[in-house]
Amino acid sequence: MAEKVVLYSYFRSSASWRVRIALALKDVKYEYKAVHLIKDGGEQNSEEYKKLNPMGLVPSLEIDGHLLTQSLPIIEYLEEKYPQPALLPTDAYGKAQVRALSEIVNSGIQPLQNLKVLQKYGDGKEEWARFHIERGLIALEKMLEKTAGNYSYGDQVTMADLCLVPQIYNANRFKVDMKQFPIINCVHDKLIQLPAFVAADPSKQPDTPEDMRKN
Amino acid sequence: MAEKVVLYSYFRSSASWRVRIALALKDVKYEYKAVHLIKDGGEQNSEEYKKLNPMGLVPSLEIDGHLLTQSLPIIEYLEEKYPQPALLPTDAYGKAQVRALSEIVNSGIQPLQNLKVLQKYGDGKEEWARFHIERGLIALEKMLEKTAGNYSYGDQVTMADLCLVPQIYNANRFKVDMKQFPIINCVHDKLIQLPAFVAADPSKQPDTPEDMRKN
């Protein structure tokens, strides 16, 4: 792989975080370009960044001479180019289950509580975020009753796990009562021990503020 | 295919609609089970339906003895089982582009303006919906400048088109000014002529109310 890989990321963006885990698991080296979501009204809203990513969202990934957007499509691309370790099962039904678990977070929870949406929501946004995270996690816990082993889908680390960990970080930020989700907690606690998850953590990124840094 | 295929759908649900188009394009016969999203507080919230779909969302698809949830994972499953006509390009970059176009709608717009979320939002929900639809379509139009031909991705009907058409229906419901989106309009107007899109239209479903029916 001679071509440079560049990740446009923000340390605490959960969609960026998912892609960082995938890159770490698949051992793809990359340059980290920080996009500060708060400073100066958000660098993601600059004309320059929007040329790369018209939604004004992180992450974007430069790879193989292409510019990719949207975390799950980026992860699917990495899966095709770097098949090992596999983040999807091999059978069609397994893939559908992992993708559905991923979408519960990706389309069912995260869009309702991301920074842009909460800024627009205004007063009462914490309660709004907490409501939607809790509703989604109730569904996720139910699905995990059928699919989970050590991780979300049996004992294989999958795309669903890459979505789960950042969402639990946000659940805690918004003070969701996590005691009601024993399977999610159990899976989460195992995942965060894995080296790729440790490396991708928001506390360890080039743009992590000093007071949030853990080494 | 001896096994019965059953789609749990609501005529006006845009996620159900995407799957109906996929089933029609791939000529998969199915039984339609209507899930009324309004009546009696919403049949999707019943304990019985939530056993099938813990998020309490349509669509769900019974197929090959499995129960699948979430529209994009369902479409990806259909793509693998019934490869023709293909709804994804063959190359990894093409797939990433089509999936990203799909996610702009699936995670970037639709979750912010679906029925459940608007019911929770309360007063001002029309302006909220319009804001988020418009913001997403501005990004989509920008991306289509690079990818569109007759359809969203060149001249191939793809998963991105299955997401586009229902979203434009909602854009019109919420009175988004569509004049600012010439490429989207052009692609949309071609798509809705295609037989599979005609068959999947909300005006033609078993649960379409009489006064909204067109034959």
Side-chain angles (χ1 to χ4, degrees):
Chain A
M1 294 295 130
E3 296 232 37
K4 197 170 66 168
V5 178
V6 181
L7 178 67
Y8 295 82
S9 171
Y10 179 60
F11 75 106
R12 203 158 63 179
S13 141
S14 56
S16 302
W17 186 350
R18 297 171 196 156
V19 174
R20 292 196 303 259
I21 304 169
L23 290 165
L25 283 167
K26 292 178 180 291
D27 200 21
V28 179
K29 304 298 172 219
Y30 62 96
E31 180 185 335
Y32 188 106
K33 284 206 183 165
V35 180
H36 199 298
L37 300 194
I38 312 282
K39 201 169 61 180
D40 302 329
E43 291 176 353
Q44 77 283 13
N45 297 316
S46 69
E47 283 311 304
E48 192 188 338
Y49 186 69
K50 279 201 167 174
K51 270 182 209 155
L52 298 178
N53 187 320
M55 280 297 266
L57 293 173
V58 285
S60 301
L61 187 72
E62 255 178 59
I63 188 167
D64 302 327
H66 306 305
L67 195 284
L68 309 184
T69 62
Q70 296 282 345
S71 63
L72 297 192
I74 291 172
I75 294 166
E76 297 261 4
Y77 180 92
L78 293 171
E79 180 75 358
E80 187 162 339
K81 300 287 281 195
Y82 308 94
Q84 296 304 326
L87 298 176
L88 289 171
T90 50
D91 65 304
Y93 178 48
K95 281 181 215 162
Q97 287 175 291
V98 168
R99 287 178 175 137
L101 292 166
S102 304
E103 286 291 359
I104 286 185
V105 172
N106 181 60
S107 65
I109 305 177
Q110 203 277 338
L112 293 158
Q113 53 96 83
N114 74 22
L115 181 68
K116 278 194 184 207
V117 167
L118 294 185
Q119 283 171 341
K120 171 74 182 164
Y121 190 88
D123 287 349
K125 62 179 181 243
E126 288 81 10
E127 191 276 333
W128 166 267
R130 193 159 46 243
F131 173 87
H132 290 292
I133 296 171
E134 187 168 10
R135 192 172 71 83
L137 292 185
I138 289 170
L140 189 61
E141 180 83 6
K142 269 268 170 253
M143 288 186 64
L144 291 180
E145 284 176 9
K146 293 183 189 151
T147 64
N150 279 320
Y151 307 121
S152 298
Y153 182 82
D155 295 334
Q156 179 185 1
V157 174
T158 64
M159 184 162 73
D161 298 310
L162 279 50
C163 296
L164 178 72
V165 167
Q167 190 58 62
I168 300 317
Y169 176 88
N170 280 324
N172 285 315
R173 269 184 83 191
F174 290 106
K175 304 190 170 46
V176 172
D177 173 14
M178 291 301 297
K179 286 197 299 291
Q180 59 192 313
F181 306 120
I183 306 173
I184 290 174
N185 290 333
C186 184
V187 166
H188 174 265
D189 292 350
K190 288 190 187 113
L191 287 167
I192 59 171
Q193 310 295 324
L194 303 176
F197 286 75
V198 172
D201 193 83
S203 67
K204 294 186 164 48
Q205 303 312 307
D207 58 338
T208 307
E210 277 307 314
D211 60 340
M212 301 182 73
R213 185 172 291 282
K214 290 183 212 143
N215 286 308
Chain B
M1 292 293 127
E3 297 230 36
K4 196 169 66 168
V5 178
V6 181
L7 177 68
Y8 295 82
S9 172
Y10 180 60
F11 75 106
R12 204 157 62 176
S13 141
S14 55
S16 302
W17 185 352
R18 298 171 197 156
V19 174
R20 293 197 303 258
I21 303 169
L23 291 165
L25 282 167
K26 292 178 179 291
D27 200 22
V28 179
K29 304 296 174 223
Y30 62 96
E31 180 185 335
Y32 188 106
K33 284 206 183 165
V35 179
H36 199 296
L37 299 194
I38 312 281
K39 202 168 62 180
D40 302 330
E43 291 176 352
Q44 78 282 14
N45 296 318
S46 70
E47 284 310 304
E48 193 187 340
Y49 185 69
K50 280 204 167 173
K51 270 182 210 155
L52 297 178
N53 186 321
M55 280 297 268
L57 294 173
V58 284
S60 300
L61 187 73
E62 255 178 60
I63 187 165
D64 302 327
H66 307 304
L67 194 283
L68 309 185
T69 61
Q70 297 280 346
S71 63
L72 298 192
I74 291 172
I75 293 166
E76 297 262 5
Y77 181 93
L78 293 171
E79 180 74 357
E80 185 162 341
K81 300 287 280 195
Y82 309 94
Q84 296 304 327
L87 298 176
L88 289 171
T90 49
D91 65 303
Y93 179 47
K95 280 181 215 162
Q97 288 176 289
V98 167
R99 287 178 175 137
L101 292 166
S102 304
E103 286 291 0
I104 285 185
V105 172
N106 181 61
S107 65
I109 306 177
Q110 203 276 339
L112 293 158
Q113 53 97 82
N114 74 21
L115 181 68
K116 277 193 184 206
V117 168
L118 294 185
Q119 283 171 341
K120 171 75 182 164
Y121 190 88
D123 288 348
K125 61 180 182 242
E126 287 81 10
E127 191 275 333
W128 166 267
R130 191 157 50 242
F131 174 86
H132 289 293
I133 297 171
E134 187 168 11
R135 193 172 70 84
L137 293 185
I138 289 170
L140 189 61
E141 180 83 7
K142 268 271 169 250
M143 287 186 64
L144 291 180
E145 284 175 11
K146 293 184 190 150
T147 64
N150 279 320
Y151 308 120
S152 298
Y153 183 81
D155 294 335
Q156 178 185 0
V157 174
T158 63
M159 183 162 74
D161 298 310
L162 280 50
C163 295
L164 179 73
V165 167
Q167 190 57 63
I168 301 316
Y169 175 89
N170 280 325
N172 285 315
R173 270 185 82 192
F174 289 105
K175 303 190 171 42
V176 172
D177 173 15
M178 291 301 295
K179 286 198 296 295
Q180 59 192 313
F181 306 120
I183 306 174
I184 290 174
N185 290 333
C186 184
V187 166
H188 174 265
D189 292 350
K190 287 190 186 113
L191 287 167
I192 60 171
Q193 310 295 325
L194 303 176
F197 286 74
V198 172
D201 194 82
S203 67
K204 293 187 163 53
Q205 303 313 306
D207 58 338
T208 307
E210 277 309 316
D211 60 341
M212 301 182 73
R213 186 171 291 281
K214 291 181 211 145
N215 286 310

